[in-house]
Amino acid sequence: MLIEVEELDYAYEKSSHVLRNINIKIARGEIIAFTGKNGSGKTTLAKHFNGLLKPSSGKVLIDGKDTAKRTVSELAQTVGYVFQNPDHQIFNDTVFDEVAFGPKNQGITGKKLEELVLNSLAAVGLMEDANLYPYRLSKGQRQRLALASVIAMESDIMVLDEPTTGLDYKEGLEIMELLKKLNLKGHTIIFITHDMGLVADYAKRMIVVSEGEIIADNTPRKVFNLDQVIEKAHLKIPAVTQLARILKLSKKTTLNDTELFQEILAAKEANLNVLCS
């Protein structure tokens, strides 16, 4: 397993446990959504993967290595983390230098460094902005810049906290499609979100955190059908899922517009067959 979390407890203070008894196994190449209401502990959990936080008790193993015994810089070679607000991690004077910072710290220099940076910028559509001051970019572009910095590190695992927050629909779609492509290339993607539409469209697995505990870990299709989990975690299932339920179109949980359209066509065909018989 690429990520193993064993009996993880975490407390900011001795009297205040944020995470309790967390057990997770994540395989290489998965794309997973962490969901739950604000303060549930999902971001706190994710920050254990790159060593920003260390367990109060229990273990977090990344590729078999205990994070408690490794530095953040060591873990960064395996786990890339994109914060909800990209401005919290951008500090260089040019877009190029921002993306080059991580690989430089790994000892990469010269032509190899330049190729790595330019390829990472090309992947997020920022090649022409390489010499710009980062804060001349839009919020969506800065989000892509933060992701390019992770891509340049060639991290096996990429964790993104609310990757589409503050972006318009087009910018958000571009980010998620890029994550999908990276996942198809073998990267393990973990994204934290409140947007159940994103979960339905992109996640193959959905982990729901509530009050510091995991209350569901399954496919979105199965979790969306767990009414008690949805209510406890204060999640809002996609509108198409709700509409399909109201119309009673299918026994399965409908995830997206395409499935809804297919179910409507099937229902119309079934009704026509009944009328013709």
Side-chain angles (χ1 to χ4, degrees):
M1 285 292 164
L2 188 57
I3 301 174
E4 296 178 81
V5 181
E6 303 174 355
E7 303 294 332
L8 170 64
D9 279 28
Y10 180 76
Y12 287 110
E13 299 175 1
K14 290 183 179 180
S15 60
S16 177
H17 271 73
V18 181
L19 298 174
R20 289 180 296 276
N21 193 33
I22 302 292
N23 291 277
I24 305 173
K25 291 185 178 181
I26 296 175
R28 191 178 302 275
E30 290 198 72
I31 181 165
I32 301 174
F34 282 9
T35 65
K37 65 182 180 180
N38 289 335
S40 62
K42 55 190 185 297
T43 296
T44 300
L45 173 58
K47 285 181 177 179
H48 279 78
F49 299 159
N50 69 341
L52 286 174
L53 297 176
K54 306 291 187 182
S56 299
S57 63
K59 285 185 178 181
V60 177
L61 305 177
I62 301 297
D63 205 12
K65 297 175 182 177
D66 192 339
T67 61
K69 300 175 182 178
R70 305 186 73 195
T71 65
V72 174
S73 60
E74 288 173 333
L75 289 166
Q77 298 177 37
T78 305
V79 185
Y81 197 104
V82 179
F83 290 84
Q84 180 176 348
N85 185 345
D87 297 344
H88 290 166
Q89 63 192 99
I90 294 172
F91 58 90
N92 282 281
D93 291 334
T94 69
V95 168
F96 183 97
D97 289 341
E98 184 65 35
V99 178
F101 180 80
K104 272 186 180 179
N105 283 344
Q106 291 181 323
I108 299 172
T109 59
K111 188 174 181 180
K112 183 178 180 181
L113 176 64
E114 182 178 0
E115 289 179 353
L116 186 58
V117 172
L118 292 179
N119 287 340
S120 300
L121 288 174
V124 300
L126 292 176
M127 175 84 85
E128 296 180 359
D129 301 309
N131 295 318
L132 284 181
Y133 180 57
Y135 289 97
R136 290 185 61 189
L137 301 176
S138 70
K139 171 73 183 298
Q141 288 173 317
R142 295 199 302 278
Q143 192 83 356
R144 282 186 275 153
L145 173 58
L147 181 54
S149 299
V150 170
I151 294 172
M153 293 287 288
E154 299 183 322
S155 305
D156 289 337
I157 304 164
M158 299 183 182
V159 181
L160 298 96
D161 193 349
E162 298 285 358
T164 63
T165 296
L167 307 185
D168 61 30
Y169 176 78
K170 181 175 180 294
E171 289 175 326
L173 186 61
E174 288 172 350
I175 289 289
M176 295 309 299
E177 286 297 314
L178 178 55
L179 293 180
K180 183 177 179 180
K181 289 179 182 177
L182 291 167
N183 179 243
L184 291 173
K185 289 181 179 179
H187 294 278
T188 301
I189 306 294
I190 299 168
F191 64 98
I192 302 165
T193 187
H194 291 93
D195 189 332
M196 295 302 102
L198 294 184
V199 175
D201 288 340
Y202 293 98
K204 301 300 182 185
R205 179 178 169 191
M206 177 180 179
I207 293 176
V208 184
V209 184
S210 177
E211 298 177 357
E213 298 179 334
I214 293 175
I215 61 171
D217 181 355
N218 214 313
T219 65
R221 197 181 302 279
K222 290 183 177 179
V223 174
F224 287 163
N225 206 37
L226 302 175
D227 292 339
Q228 288 184 334
V229 169
I230 297 300
E231 183 178 354
K232 184 174 181 179
H234 297 269
L235 302 180
K236 187 176 181 181
I237 62 175
V240 292
T241 304
Q242 296 182 50
L243 179 59
R245 281 186 181 180
I246 292 169
L247 297 176
K248 298 180 180 178
L249 291 172
S250 173
K251 291 183 180 180
K252 72 175 185 179
T253 303
T254 306
L255 291 182
N256 52 51
D257 294 344
T258 301
E259 289 186 0
L260 181 64
F261 180 68
Q262 291 171 345
E263 289 163 9
I264 290 172
L265 288 180
K268 288 180 67 176
E269 184 177 341
N271 286 335
L272 283 174
N273 291 336
V274 169
L275 291 172
C276 293
S277 60

